[in-house]
Amino acid sequence: PAVSDSIPMLCIAHALAQAAKVDVLEGMINQLMEQCHPLPTQLKDDGFVRITEKHLLQLRGEVLFYRMQLRGGSDLQAEPEPIWHFPAMETFYLITREVFEVEKLIDVLDSKLDAGNEILSVLSDQFSQRHSSRLEWIVIWLVFVEVIIGVLELILDMKPWFM
């Protein structure tokens, strides 16, 4: 089939739209990283972090959401449909993506998300460990109370034998 002048423009426009979407995601991911950035310093300096478990889960959700936007749940990796019908137009698309460094920026943002996810995973593990420890202490105290009640029952049951 003959290639009209609009097909190369569609391929270029698709690559430009992908570049614009990556730019928007970059701003959002940078805001997320600003929230994650002080957490390792707090942990190093204070031995704990000032974050609730709910906020931690929300941050992890954001990381997963942006990761999905970058790698799986969006059209950032998809070639435009005209390329399927006119493979020669792929050059326009690829050159535009290369000029705007779309793939390189996606990789950089993915690395930032990896770093953020690692920080949040460590903190999530800390919350889980704290919760498990709390449950262990509850069980210990319940066993202790059970032993005290058992000893008291024995003493009360033995009282008539001594009188």
Side-chain angles (χ1 to χ4, degrees):
V3 177
S4 72
D5 292 341
S6 63
I7 303 275
M9 294 301 168
L10 280 173
C11 293
I12 292 170
H14 191 81
L16 289 173
Q18 289 174 331
K21 187 170 185 176
V22 169
D23 280 345
V24 169
L25 284 172
E26 181 181 24
M28 297 166 122
I29 290 170
N30 285 338
Q31 286 177 343
L32 172 64
M33 290 300 105
E34 286 176 17
Q35 292 181 56
C36 294
H37 183 72
L39 298 175
T41 305
Q42 286 178 10
L43 193 58
K44 177 182 74 75
D45 294 345
D46 304 333
F48 63 93
V49 290
R50 293 170 202 88
I51 188 172
T52 64
E53 191 170 4
K54 179 181 178 180
H55 187 60
L56 176 68
L57 288 172
Q58 288 172 327
L59 291 174
R60 289 193 83 183
E62 277 190 69
V63 167
L64 295 174
F65 174 78
Y66 294 136
R67 165 88 28 87
M68 188 175 72
Q69 290 294 309
L70 282 176
R71 291 292 179 192
S74 71
D75 60 352
L76 286 177
Q77 303 293 327
E79 291 183 339
E81 191 174 326
I83 289 176
W84 301 347
H85 303 292
F86 305 99
M89 297 297 105
E90 186 176 22
T91 306
F92 292 105
Y93 170 73
L94 293 176
I95 288 174
T96 306
R97 276 181 64 98
E98 190 174 317
V99 166
F100 286 93
E101 298 181 328
V102 172
E103 200 59 45
K104 190 182 294 185
L105 191 51
I106 287 173
D107 289 341
V108 167
L109 294 177
D110 204 36
S111 294
K112 285 184 179 184
L113 290 174
D114 279 342
N117 192 43
E118 186 176 334
I119 292 167
L120 297 174
S121 290
V122 167
L123 296 177
S124 181
D125 290 346
Q126 183 184 28
F127 273 108
S128 290
Q129 192 173 27
R130 187 181 312 154
H131 182 69
S132 295
S133 178
R134 196 173 298 138
L135 288 176
E136 288 174 8
W137 276 106
I138 289 171
V139 169
I140 290 169
W141 279 107
L142 288 174
V143 168
F144 179 73
V145 168
E146 181 72 25
V147 167
I148 296 295
I149 290 172
V151 168
L152 288 175
E153 283 178 349
L154 280 174
I155 291 173
L156 291 176
D157 284 345
M158 293 176 66
K159 189 175 182 183
W161 292 92
F162 292 113
M163 294 196 171

